Amino acid sequence: MTPRPQAVPDLDWDPERARAFADRTTDLWQEMLERLPSLPVSGRWTSEQVRDAVARTVPDEPMSDDELFSYLREVVFEWSAFPGHPRFMAYISGAGTVPGAAADLLSAGMNMNLGGWQLSPSATEIELALTRFFANEVFGLPPGAGGIVTTGGAMATFVALKAARDERAGWDVRNEGVAAGPPLVLYLSAETHVVSDRAADMLGVGLKNVRHVGVDDGFRLRVDDLRAQIARDLDAGMRPFAIVGSAGTVATGAVDPLGEIADVCAEHGAWFHVDAAYGGPAMLADDLRPLFAGIERADSIAFDPHKWLYTPHSGGCVVVRDMRLLQESFDVYASYTVQDKEYTQHGIDLGRHGPQFSRGFSALKVWVSLLAHGRAAYGRRISHDAELARYLGERVRGRPEFELAVPVGLSITCFRYVPVELADGPGREDYLNELNHRLMTEIQLDGRVYISNAILGGTFVLRSCIVNFRTEAGDVEAVLAVAAELGAKLDAELRPEALR
Ligand SMILES: Cc1ncc(COP(=O)(O)O)c(C=O)c1O
């Protein structure tokens, strides 16, 4: 006979032990928040150095709390970069809300599984309330619209374009596959984020069937070129199934003419997807909202709370005009999940509305951030980020060694360093590209401020993007001070004879 198993309680920490561990974690977090403004944004490390410092042999027996927290302290303060630092203005990476971080502990503590309603009653209804709020109240989609929380903009885009493919191809792609009909074609602009290309690849559409429509001098999709490319593809017997409009491009913050793109979609029966991964939350700001006119006509919208809603990574969202289409596109039935919903009156299983099966409660950090801060405070701060970006643009214009590359778009300022007495000789543009590339790298390694780059029509420019509620005017001024100092130093080392 099998003996009665003895308890194995090692992993089952009691609430006091849980509290003590969380308290020490919170102490570390508080210290990080206190020291954040005086820490470097990032450091001058190699992968080898960081690996040697942070990789550990997993012990057979528990590490003591003292040893573990001294290790974590070193990870946090010696070997980490801080997108929540007031002087981080690179890429589009939100600062990370404080209530959102705390809510993540609670999500993990409850550990509900949002694949099924019965495993996550409150969580599923909160996720649905969150996506409905954005769909209806923020973006102006009609009742019946809704969506899901995703890992980020890439997955939100994939989900939207999968729903588009399955609804607009004109045959049963889920069963028959993409090869059962004419080639499907996806249209987007040359400035659209690359995750749409990748979605086309993942959907079997094929990268060569993605059309990169030209842009105007404000980097907005050119509708005349869009129409011309669609006409050519129709003549060739292809099927235009979806068009992507950007509500805030990653390079310059350009907003495509959404209303005109919606007209083209309506003419051709194509799905209208809006990549609002960056710009979407700016619909909460009164002064920025008018820029997005036409977004309410979208069939789907991808937007990223972990960008301009500042919530901790990771959490994106996708909403569709008709929420039922998500289930039609993603549903699979697992026979071990039998339920009698008519009897229980339970709600929908989100694991049947998207690519994930088991799902975490990422919605809570976003929901708690909205509740804790309120809609108006969000609107004010998002508007302020854009104001700071315009302020940086004006400071750039006011200094002889900098050149504004393009008018400020949303909260993005693109500029480059051009040494004042640089000669007008051959190779000037190549040298400026090289100089600004090196300058960006040196700024990032230096750690006092952190910005990134854009390539605009072949020109390498420095790029600041403010999606950071800690950034203020002094931080923006520091960007130019550091860029001018390091730029002059690099120019002295690198400038070729011909340009002296
Ligand atoms: C406009 C736009 N779309 C999509 C993405 C991809 O989003 P994520 O990085 O959350 O997957 C980004 C990322 O910067 C973006 O700027």
Side-chain angles (χ1 to χ4, degrees), residues 226-246:
L226 173 66
R227 286 186 190 284
Q229 299 216 31
I230 290 177
R232 265 201 302 279
D233 290 331
L234 286 172
D235 281 349
M238 303 176 97
R239 171 90 184 100
F241 81 102
I243 304 173
V244 180
S246 292

Side-chain angles (χ1 to χ4, degrees), residues 91-93 150-157 191-196 198 246-251 275-279 302 304 306-307 313-316 463:
Y91 311 107
I92 311 183
S93 216
T150 63
T151 48
M155 193 50 88
T157 303
E191 292 292 311
T192 308
H193 197 281
V194 290
V195 294
S196 283
R198 186 160 65 192
S246 292
T249 57
V250 64
D275 179 349
Y278 165 40
D304 260 355
H306 68 203
K307 292 188 166 60
H313 286 104
S314 70
R463 172 184 168 284

Side-chain angles (χ1 to χ4, degrees), residues 64-96:
S64 71
D65 281 4
D66 282 348
E67 198 187 345
L68 184 49
F69 279 99
S70 114
Y71 164 72
L72 288 176
R73 204 159 185 290
E74 200 183 315
V75 168
V76 172
F77 292 112
E78 306 296 327
W79 304 107
S80 293
F82 300 102
H85 191 292
R87 295 192 173 177
F88 180 91
M89 290 166 245
Y91 311 107
I92 311 183
S93 216

